[in-house]
Amino acid sequence: MVSQPLISILMPTHTRVDVIGIAIESVLKQTVGDFELLVVGDGCAPGTADVVHGFKDDRIRFFDLPKAPHFGYANRNIALREARGRFIGFAADDDIVLRDHFELLIKALGHGAAIAHSQAFWVSTDGIAAPFLTNLEMPDELSHFMERKNTIPASCFLYRADCLPSLDSWPEDLPAAADWRLWQRIVRENPEPAVAHCRQPTVLHFSAKWKRSRESGMRQLASMLSIADVADWWPAALRVPIPSGQPEQQAYADLLNADPEEWTAAIRQAGRDLTARLAWDDLQIIRPALKAANEKSATAKKELAAARTETATYQAQSRIAEDGWATSDIEIEACRKKIDSLDNRLNEALHESRCLAAEVERLAGELRRIRASTAWRVHETIERLRWGRTKAS
């Protein structure tokens, strides 16, 4: 009869035949040895099976499965249906778990939480490590995790096998981030506090090869690297030279294997020193600068509000002036129409006057003609008119 292991550790793999041996070795060297390692080949690269079988360790179970859709979540469920552990863990095929990783996570679950997570060192492709300090025991960070974004590598999680109705609980229809959705479901479906935080870095998380990104596509790591690139005080333990042609996982594994306890203590202390330095710079430099910038911004906002008020006043005055001009234009137009009317009347009067003058001139000419006539009838008539006018007067 096969005994029940304490932990079932899921390790999916697809193309990382170059580093999966390093990841497996880090699991096999855990201080808690009571586990089964379920290596799930998701249409894995040639040579992967040789690497897995080369360890000759009965705790390893290899599932060499054809490629499943997306990131192979369906294949993970196939392996989990055969999981026997009281706890379910995850180990990426390109990460390194420090030797007390599962020991510390089991301890974190000792107070009854359904799922626990540790901290991780995120490692750039050129060997610079930076601690990620997400703490899901903090309500605001948990809210951010549940509603917006995941900043915790899957290798950092360990959960109780009985916290969900079935083990094969990975969402199979999602194109990506199914691990995040699984952790969210565990938190939602278990009594509070559902999540516990292990305050030690226990994972070295490397940039996935498919991302082709120095900072693993993480804005926070990019910010850290921008500091490391110029800060001469960046801890030496968090800046590991990567020999040409060698994966960064190998350089870190060599340091870990040379002196596991001392190197682990040194890198954790370097992480604490770095965090303290960043916090001190935040208090000494960033926050005062931010305060000054906020004050400047507030002043600028007041000036802008005053300028907008002044502009509104000018605009109102402009509208009044425009209305005045409009009124004047109307009055001018009325005057112009009146002038045009008078001009028309004047022209009519002038025309009538010219017509009358012509008629007077015609009659005067006619009168001169009559007076010049020698006909007795004309003279007799004129004499009568004169006599009548004289008599009447």
Side-chain angles (χ1 to χ4, degrees), residues 142-174:
L142 178 60
S143 176
H144 184 276
F145 177 83
M146 296 296 289
E147 298 171 9
R148 298 183 61 187
K149 189 174 183 179
N150 177 22
T151 57
I152 307 174
S155 297
C156 291
F157 285 93
L158 181 74
Y159 61 95
R160 298 181 184 277
D162 60 359
C163 72
L164 293 175
S166 64
L167 294 176
D168 52 345
S169 51
W170 281 75
E172 298 182 7
D173 57 342
L174 295 178

Side-chain angles (χ1 to χ4, degrees), residues 344-362:
N344 290 334
R345 290 173 63 185
L346 178 60
N347 290 332
E348 290 174 359
L350 289 172
H351 177 71
E352 185 176 356
S353 176
R354 285 193 292 270
C355 290
L356 289 172
E359 182 65 15
V360 169
E361 182 64 26
R362 186 186 68 77

Side-chain angles (χ1 to χ4, degrees), residues 186-263:
I186 293 172
V187 172
R188 283 195 305 265
E189 296 185 13
N190 285 275
E192 295 184 1
V195 60
H197 175 222
C198 169
R199 289 167 169 77
Q200 289 275 26
T202 67
V203 174
L204 300 174
H205 180 63
F206 299 87
S207 180
K209 182 182 290 187
W210 62 268
K211 291 184 177 181
R212 301 181 183 277
S213 168
R214 180 193 183 201
E215 68 277 0
S216 196
M218 291 296 294
R219 173 178 54 82
Q220 296 91 335
L221 181 56
S223 297
M224 287 284 199
L225 294 178
S226 69
I227 299 171
D229 288 343
V230 297
D232 56 4
W233 49 260
W234 191 271
L238 301 180
R239 194 194 298 273
V240 175
I242 309 299
S244 178
Q246 185 181 96
E248 52 271 25
Q249 288 89 338
Q250 188 63 61
Y252 272 85
D254 289 345
L255 293 171
L256 173 61
N257 293 332
D259 195 336
E261 291 187 8
E262 183 175 345
W263 186 83

Side-chain angles (χ1 to χ4, degrees), residues 37 92 193 273 296 300 339 366 387 393:
L37 175 59
D273 292 343
K296 187 174 181 180
I339 291 170
E366 185 65 21
W387 178 86
S393 60

Side-chain angles (χ1 to χ4, degrees), residues 352-383:
E352 185 176 356
S353 176
R354 285 193 292 270
C355 290
L356 289 172
E359 182 65 15
V360 169
E361 182 64 26
R362 186 186 68 77
L363 291 174
E366 185 65 21
L367 182 59
R368 287 191 298 270
R369 186 184 64 78
I370 291 172
R371 285 177 175 175
S373 175
T374 58
W376 65 266
R377 291 184 181 83
V378 173
H379 283 279
E380 184 179 356
T381 301
I382 292 172
E383 290 299 322

